[in-house]
Amino acid sequence: MTRRTCGVAVVSVAALLASAACSSPYSDTSGAKAGTGTRTIGPVEGCGKSSWTDPADLAPDRAPARCEPLAPSAQPLARKRKITIATGTLSAEYVAPLETAVDKGEFKAEGLDVALKVLPTPDALPLLAKGDIDALWAAPEAAVMNGIKGGFDIKWVAGNFSPGPGSKSGLWVRTKEGETAARVEMAGRTLGTMIGKGSVIAYPMQKALARHHGGLDEIQYRQLGSADVLTALQNGGVDSAWLLDPVWRKVDGRPGYAFLGGQPAGEPLGGLLYGPTLLHDDVDAGVALLRAYIRTVNTFFVSDYKKDAAFVAYLSKLLKIDKAVLEATPSLRMDWEIRKGTTTRLQAAYRAQGATQGSAVPESRTVDRTLYEEAVGHVP
């Protein structure tokens, strides 16, 4: 992919038409500290109406926001910034947009020197709150909500993905005699999971269990290693399990197993979390980081990106995942937007599990959409 300059025609897909200059109107040698509430948002070339969707739209067939490929174009910061993003893994498909942005030079084009650091969320949270790392590629899990409730200045600023059509990543159960996928008695059964209580899967699990005579407080959790979850389900060590891509393919279509439900279509449950550095001290860098991320999605992850054999081969090498494994599951729906009420629904599930207590933290303290809105030129 060639580097763009202001005035070069942009190829096609969506972000907001405009007359913006190549350099950020907010950048200076000290960084912007005004906070996003006082910033002026102008139209962005290559990003139009399709670059934003109503956060209240929870339709499973909602088309994710998109700009044209190569848009929004880079607006290099006046001073280069070093940015550290923590992530739990570098060998998962949902991390691909970040790794691609590093590899293709999209962050560099914004004047950002981005390092991806493997670090579990519980270890990364206090570092993010203190400003020792700048961002976290994770999910608003119970630990995050508890941290915010305790005073951490952390917000969810961009989504990551929702499952593609045909995905069966989610809750699987060994059926008993007389049970079908339409009717399973889940109360009292054991569940194998890598994270245990407090994971974002509590929310879709709650919905699935409600349809099958169970609840988050009526099942027994067994925390297992990633390599042990499927084995435990197959040998009867647990009655049910949350199976990720592409593990669920091992039981799909086999008698005695039923898929009860997964992550809601069209609703991302994770993405980028910012701490005080990018939320307040250097908003320019925070917007630039999202601009590069969004541009990467628009350029490389539009629609069914796995139809491109060469790109799948590229991802296989980049992520160090076998090409056949990537091809075994549908493309993810990469989606930088955050749906209205997601953190409220997540917290309700965490309380049902006993992972959090007390009243929910309001969305105004958990989510900030203004940075990605600025990146695509959307004025709320």
Side-chain angles (χ1 to χ4, degrees):
M1 169 178 157
T2 57
R3 182 53 43 217
R4 288 77 59 192
T5 58
C6 198
V8 174
V10 184
V11 199
S12 31
V13 176
L16 273 176
L17 260 156
S19 55
C22 282
S23 60
S24 168
Y26 318 115
S27 296
D28 57 31
T29 56
S30 61
K33 196 175 179 176
T36 54
T38 61
R39 298 168 70 91
T40 302
I41 299 176
V44 173
E45 187 176 5
C47 292
K49 289 183 178 180
S50 61
S51 67
W52 181 87
T53 66
D54 183 355
D57 184 358
L58 297 175
D61 60 348
R62 173 187 65 86
R66 288 291 184 264
C67 298
E68 295 181 1
L70 309 183
S73 60
Q75 298 183 34
L77 300 171
R79 176 175 57 83
K80 190 173 183 179
R81 280 35 164 217
K82 287 190 174 183
I83 299 290
T84 300
I85 305 175
T87 174
T89 180
L90 290 174
S91 298
E93 190 175 339
Y94 67 87
V95 192
L98 289 190
E99 295 193 68
T100 301
V102 172
D103 187 64
K104 297 289 186 181
E106 298 301 338
F107 291 131
K108 185 177 180 181
E110 300 285 352
L112 301 175
D113 180 6
V114 171
L116 302 179
K117 182 176 183 179
V118 176
L119 200 61
T121 297
D123 296 336
L125 279 178
L127 299 178
L128 182 63
K130 288 190 297 181
D132 291 341
I133 59 174
D134 304 291
L136 173 60
W137 185 253
E141 297 174 349
V144 176
M145 296 298 106
N146 287 333
I148 294 173
K149 188 176 290 188
F152 282 178
D153 189 5
I154 293 172
K155 286 187 177 179
W156 184 18
V157 299
N160 52 7
F161 74 93
S162 62
S167 173
K168 293 183 181 179
S169 173
L171 183 60
W172 285 81
V173 63
R174 290 173 62 97
T175 54
K176 297 179 181 179
E177 186 175 351
E179 291 183 331
T180 66
R183 184 178 179 83
V184 176
E185 296 287 339
M186 286 298 296
R189 293 198 177 182
T190 53
L191 171 80
T193 171
M194 291 184 291
I195 299 177
K197 295 181 180 181
S199 164
V200 291
I201 67 169
Y203 161 44
M205 258 192 350
Q206 186 178 47
K207 296 178 69 174
L209 290 170
R211 295 192 298 267
H212 294 280
H213 313 283
L216 292 172
D217 59 346
E218 296 179 285
I219 57 175
Q220 302 171 43
Y221 298 87
R222 300 275 176 82
Q223 191 165 351
L224 303 168
S226 59
D228 301 323
V229 174
L230 176 63
T231 301
L233 180 65
Q234 291 175 318
N235 66 21
V238 294
D239 303 311
S240 61
W242 189 270
L243 302 181
L244 302 175
D245 289 334
V247 179
W248 57 267
R249 296 295 298 267
K250 299 285 186 179
V251 296
D252 187 31
R254 291 184 55 191
Y257 295 92
F259 174 61
L260 303 187
Q263 176 179 336
E267 184 174 12
L269 299 181
L272 275 168
L273 305 173
Y274 278 4
T277 302
L278 299 182
L279 286 175
H280 309 296
D281 299 338
D282 197 350
V283 182
D284 280 352
V287 174
L289 179 62
L290 290 186
R291 191 164 49 237
Y293 164 50
I294 291 169
R295 183 168 61 252
T296 301
V297 171
N298 290 324
T299 305
F300 300 101
F301 294 93
V302 177
S303 189
D304 189 357
Y305 53 88
K306 290 187 181 179
K307 286 184 177 179
D308 185 339
F311 187 61
V312 173
Y314 166 79
L315 287 181
S316 172
K317 183 178 180 181
L318 183 70
L319 302 174
K320 298 180 174 59
I321 298 176
D322 187 270
K323 186 169 177 283
V325 172
L326 284 174
E327 293 173 331
T329 54
S331 298
L332 300 176
R333 281 179 174 170
M334 302 303 184
D335 188 353
W336 65 78
E337 293 188 308
I338 300 170
R339 300 294 88 197
K340 183 178 180 180
T342 296
T343 58
T344 302
R345 291 184 287 275
L346 286 170
Q347 289 178 86
Y350 300 152
R351 288 196 303 275
Q353 281 185 322
T356 62
Q357 296 180 345
S359 59
V361 181
E363 187 176 87
S364 60
R365 289 181 56 196
T366 62
V367 172
D368 188 343
R369 298 180 182 86
T370 62
L371 292 98
Y372 70 66
E373 288 174 339
E374 180 178 334
V376 300
H378 173 75
V379 180

